[in-house]
């Protein structure tokens, strides 16, 4: 109601929601127009120099604007709530587009590729919406830093933290290097592939794979339809983890494990323990169907790269099969060698990367087909010079989140 | 295969809640009402006991699949309801949180899970438990705020200003605390992603929707700060925000954009 009383013509300061949303809408439209007119090639890869200059200019503009020209109506509007809400709405809109369209390399639809909808994060409208948010968020933050009040600490942690995260993530994005290195047991490797540009990079150190280790869970048993060959799933039911003397019920059958080998070979009709390369798990089971008072006993194996699989037919319609065991953990015993003839032994595992000379080294994958006999290990080397900045922003936001509890405990007054 | 009799636990919990609510609403004396409260706490303990047992039997945190996260939701919602009751004495709110929790318990009974013991290496991390627990707790709080929003909408359309004012104030408290947890969950996820996948943010569909959810609640907080919106508009914002949250939690798997998601652990 108060809005109606102070009704003022549009585009006369102070700007409110109408002007703010018009600006956000206009900026994003310009972005899409740029995208369209550049044939949907998106934002080009700027050089580091260009990016650094842009970053400095942006910070300079926000600082001078926010500190020395804060009485100017434009700056007052940029640091106000309507501009903030329009900037948040703008970035939400871009995120919604991203959440609804499949992000992929080569889209089929003309409009999707022409407007950059399948790679939003490298499109002009996304970049412009991010810049608008950075300016608005930056101006608002400065207003609360100077003049300083102790009560603003929560505000500062949340806003400056977020600003730092977005700023560092945006300007740091192109400097991130993600390289893939394929290691063979016993061999020394110093070259890594940059998949983004498809170029090979010589690393300042070499890596030797001593041993690749894969631990697996016991295999699962399942029932397949003989005609279609598909597993009868029923929302993840009808799968049974094998264990010595395990029992379970699948469809109408009561299944009992009689013998279980985690590695085995076959001789005649029977399996026996064997640990040669490719020795697959096997299990002797008894399947009892009480409805038809039917009991079937037999061996099942999932096979391996050099062993055939074996299913057990339990009726005209169904067979009992073994699924390939799922990996429990895998790790590479590696050694990093630098030119100074220093060697660093590392046990590289998923979820625990190793930091070395500014690089983070990750265990990624292995030869799927060979599984636990794989002598290949794929690792990734990642360098992100802006990461410390992003992390400092993240930690500020975490501290800021904690301050929100106080706010939550305080009852707000309502108008 | 592990079979714990889930249905028995769920039925027991729901029964104690029903009895508890009946005593609290129909009881004449303070003693009867307190007995009702005791019943509700017992129901909560039953769920807790089930979760502990499940964790021990699976030998891994039971937080991998959608059904397992629903269980935690059923655990946290009554917890939020009880804490709010002890703090502010909102009986109706306790009742709604119990009903919503019971709904999720029933959902899990209709779609039972084969509690699989396997846990892929990418999920074996010290971040796993805090990330999921903080998130589901945030979801429970924000679900609670949407319950409050529905009540607030009813009262504002009926022009019961005092109830509207109270609802808005309670919704605010829940959103502020819920948003704090949502932020922590998101940031824990980013830190974990760096350790597991080499980058803190890859715009995976689940991440994108988590970001949209976060930013919509952020919008609400800024709407509140400005305090120009009417109570009705604010309540509607909360309902839309919760809808987005549900898309993030369940819906993502069905969106075309999720074809390459790394966040599908349902099988």
């Amino acid at each position: 109601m108060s809005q109606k009383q102070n009704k003022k013509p549009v585009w006369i300061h102070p700007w409110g929601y109408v002007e703010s949303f018009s600006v956000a809408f206009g900026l994003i439209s310009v972005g899409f127009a740029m995208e369209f007119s550049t044939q949907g090639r998106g934002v080009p890869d700027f050089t580091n120099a260009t990016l650094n200059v842009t970053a400095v200019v942006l910070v300079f503009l926000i600082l001078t604007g926010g500190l020395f020209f804060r009485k100017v109506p434009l700056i007052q509007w940029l640091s106000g709530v309507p501009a903030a809400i329009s900037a948040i709405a703008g970035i939400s809109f871009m995120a919604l587009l991203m959440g609804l369209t499949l992000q992929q390399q080569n889209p089929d639809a003309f409009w999707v590729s022409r407007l950059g909808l399948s790679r939003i994060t490298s499109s002009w409208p996304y970049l412009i919406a991010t810049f608008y948010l950075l300016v608005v968020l930056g101006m608002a933050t400065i207003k609360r830093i100077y003049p300083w009040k102790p009560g603003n600490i929560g505000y500062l942690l949340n806003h400056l933290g977020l600003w730092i995260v977005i700023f560092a993530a945006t300007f740091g994005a192109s400097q991130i290097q993600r390289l893939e290195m394929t290691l063979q047991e016993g061999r020394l490797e110093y070259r890594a592939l940059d998949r983004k540009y498809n170029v090979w990079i010589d690393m300042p150190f070499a890596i030797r794979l001593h041993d690749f280790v894969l631990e697996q869970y016991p295999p699962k048993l399942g029932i397949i339809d003989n005609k279609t060959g598909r597993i009868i799933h029923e929302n993840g039911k009808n799968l049974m983890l094998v264990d010595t003397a395990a029992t379970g019920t699948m469809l109408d059958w009561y299944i009992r494990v009689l013998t279980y080998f985690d590695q085995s070979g076959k001789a005649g009709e029977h399996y026996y323990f064997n640990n040669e390369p490719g020795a697959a798990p096997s299990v002797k089971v008894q399947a009892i169907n009480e409805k038809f008072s039917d009991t079937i006993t037999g061996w099942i194996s999932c096979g391996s790269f050099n062993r055939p699989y074996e299913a057990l037919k339990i009726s005209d319609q169904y067979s009992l099969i073994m699924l390939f065991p799922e990996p429990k953990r895998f790790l590479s015993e590696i050694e990093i060698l630098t030119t100074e003839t220093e060697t660093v032994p590392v046990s590289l595992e998923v979820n625990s990367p190793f930091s070395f000379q500014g690089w983070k080294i990750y265990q990624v994958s292995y030869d799927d087909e060979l599984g636990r006999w794989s002598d290949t290990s794929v690792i990734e080397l990642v360098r992100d010079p802006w990461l410390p900045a992003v992390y400092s922003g993240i930690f500020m936001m975490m501290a800021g989140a904690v301050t929100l509890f106080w706010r939550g405990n305080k009852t707000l007054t309502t108008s | 295969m592990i079979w714990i009799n889930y249905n028995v636990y769920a039925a027991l919990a729901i029964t104690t809640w029903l009895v508890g609510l009946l005593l609290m609403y129909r009881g004449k004396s303070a003693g009867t009402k307190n007995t009702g409260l005791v019943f509700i706490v017992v129901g909560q303990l039953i769920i807790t006991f089930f979760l502990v047992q499940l964790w021990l039997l699976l030998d891994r945190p039971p937080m991998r699949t959608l059904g397992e996260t629903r269980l935690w939701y059923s655990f946290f919602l009554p917890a939020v309801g009880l804490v709010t009751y002890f703090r502010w004495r909102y009986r109706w709110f306790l009742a709604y949180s119990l009903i919503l929790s019971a709904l999720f318990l029933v959902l899990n009974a209709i779609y039972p899970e084969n509690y699989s013991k396997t846990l892929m290496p990418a999920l074996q991390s010290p971040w796993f438990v805090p990330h999921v627990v903080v998130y589901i707790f945030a979801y429970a709080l924000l679900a609670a705020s949407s319950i409050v929003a529905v009540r607030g909408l009813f009262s504002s359309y009926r022009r019961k200003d005092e109830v509207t004012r109270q609802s808005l104030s309670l919704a605010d408290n829940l959103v502020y605390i819920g948003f704090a947890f949502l932020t922590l969950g998101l940031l824990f996820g980013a830190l974990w992603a760096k350790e597991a996948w080499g980058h803190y943010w890859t715009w995976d569909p689940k991440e994108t929707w988590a970001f949209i959810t976060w930013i919509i609640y952020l919008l609400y907080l800024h709407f509140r700060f400005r305090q120009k919106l009417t109570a009705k508009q604010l309540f509607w914002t909360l309902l839309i925000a919760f809808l987005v949250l549900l898309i993030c939690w369940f819906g993502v798997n069905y969106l075309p954009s999720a074809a390459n998601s790394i966040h599908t652990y349902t099988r």
Side-chain angles (χ1 to χ4, degrees), chain B residues 79-115:
Chain B
V80 173
L82 278 168
V83 169
T84 333
Y85 181 78
F86 286 125
R87 177 86 162 70
W88 291 293
R89 300 278 144 186
Y90 290 119
R91 195 176 57 177
W92 66 271
F93 176 72
L94 179 59
Y96 278 108
S97 64
L98 290 179
I99 290 166
L100 200 59
S101 165
L103 185 78
F104 275 84
L105 287 178
V106 171
L107 261 178
N108 264 19
I110 298 172
Y111 303 105
E113 297 226 343
N114 169 24
Y115 296 109

Side-chain angles (χ1 to χ4, degrees), chain A residues 65-97:
Chain A
L67 287 175
F68 306 115
F69 297 96
R70 56 173 56 191
K71 293 280 153 60
V72 175
L74 183 75
I75 304 294
Q76 279 186 335
W77 163 71
L78 276 174
S79 53
V81 175
I85 286 179
S86 74
I88 299 174
I91 207 80
S92 315
F93 175 72
M94 295 313 297
L96 259 177
L97 280 182

Side-chain angles (χ1 to χ4, degrees), chain A residues 5-232:
Chain A
Q5 281 164 7
N6 324 329
K7 197 151 192 179
K8 63 160 189 64
V10 178
W11 301 115
I12 300 292
H13 283 290
W15 288 359
Y17 282 99
V18 178
E19 292 88 350
S20 303
F21 273 86
S22 306
V23 167
F25 179 78
L27 286 173
I28 289 175
S29 306
V30 166
F32 275 115
M34 287 170 77
E35 195 67 38
F36 186 81
S37 61
T38 53
Q39 320 289 325
R41 271 192 300 255
V43 181
D45 289 323
F46 294 115
T47 61
N48 286 347
T50 316
L51 283 170
N52 291 342
V53 169
T54 316
V56 170
V57 169
L58 182 73
V59 172
F60 177 78
L61 283 179
I62 293 173
L63 281 177
T64 20
L67 287 175
F68 306 115
F69 297 96
R70 56 173 56 191
K71 293 280 153 60
V72 175
L74 183 75
I75 304 294
Q76 279 186 335
W77 163 71
L78 276 174
S79 53
V81 175
I85 286 179
S86 74
I88 299 174
I91 207 80
S92 315
F93 175 72
M94 295 313 297
L96 259 177
L97 280 182
M98 208 185 310
L100 293 172
T101 48
L102 181 61
Q103 302 294 299
Q104 58 182 351
Q105 286 294 320
N106 300 305
D108 306 323
F110 169 76
W111 284 102
V112 170
S113 74
R114 195 69 195 257
L115 291 175
L117 294 177
S118 60
R119 28 146 211 84
I120 299 263
T121 51
S122 62
S123 74
W124 283 107
Y126 174 81
L127 187 71
I128 292 175
T130 306
F131 263 77
Y132 182 49
L133 183 65
L134 276 177
V135 170
V136 167
L137 186 57
M139 294 287 186
T141 309
I142 288 179
K143 202 165 75 174
R144 292 288 189 106
I145 294 181
Y146 179 81
W148 174 249
K149 273 187 281 182
N152 286 349
I153 184 72
Y155 182 98
L156 182 76
L157 288 169
N158 285 315
H159 290 75
L160 188 59
L162 179 62
W163 190 88
I164 291 173
V165 170
I166 300 175
F167 179 80
T170 307
F171 285 97
S174 70
Q175 288 182 36
I176 295 173
Q177 271 183 293
R178 299 188 71 154
L179 311 177
E180 193 182 285
M181 193 183 258
T182 306
L183 304 171
Q184 297 285 342
E185 262 175 36
R187 277 189 25 208
L188 202 62
E189 183 64 78
Y190 65 94
R191 294 201 327 152
L193 179 66
D194 188 335
R195 284 215 177 270
K196 196 171 159 198
Y197 303 103
N198 222 9
V199 288
W200 289 92
I201 311 261
D202 290 346
M203 301 301 296
F205 47 82
I207 298 178
R208 178 185 283 133
L209 175 66
H210 278 295
D211 194 15
F212 174 76
V213 185
L214 175 71
E215 280 176 34
Q216 293 167 318
Y217 285 105
K220 284 176 180 167
L221 299 183
I223 288 179
I224 57 161
D225 189 312
N226 288 337
K227 286 197 195 80
T228 61
R230 289 232 183 90
I231 297 175
I232 311 295

Side-chain angles (χ1 to χ4, degrees), chain A residues 99 178 217 328 351 360 362 408, chain B residues 122 124 173 194-195 197 257:
Chain A
R178 299 188 71 154
Y217 285 105
K328 190 176 191 176
N351 261 316
K360 267 200 168 204
Y362 295 82
Chain B
Q124 295 167 21
N173 289 324
K194 180 67 195 169
E195 293 305 291
W197 291 302
S257 52

Side-chain angles (χ1 to χ4, degrees), chain B residues 190-247:
Chain B
L191 295 177
W192 180 10
K194 180 67 195 169
E195 293 305 291
W197 291 302
H199 197 41
Y200 47 86
W201 198 266
T202 48
W203 293 107
D204 178 82
K206 191 87 171 185
E207 289 172 12
T208 305
W209 280 96
F211 176 74
I212 298 169
T213 311
W214 185 78
I215 213 159
I216 292 237
Y217 279 102
L218 191 70
L219 266 177
Y220 174 83
L221 295 187
H222 286 81
F223 282 159
R224 283 303 284 136
F225 183 72
R226 185 72 171 180
Q227 299 206 350
K228 264 200 177 165
L229 270 74
T230 63
K232 264 182 223 165
Q233 289 166 321
L234 289 167
F235 289 137
W236 278 115
T237 310
L238 280 185
L239 288 182
I240 293 167
F242 190 63
L243 193 74
V244 171
L245 186 154
L246 288 180
I247 294 176

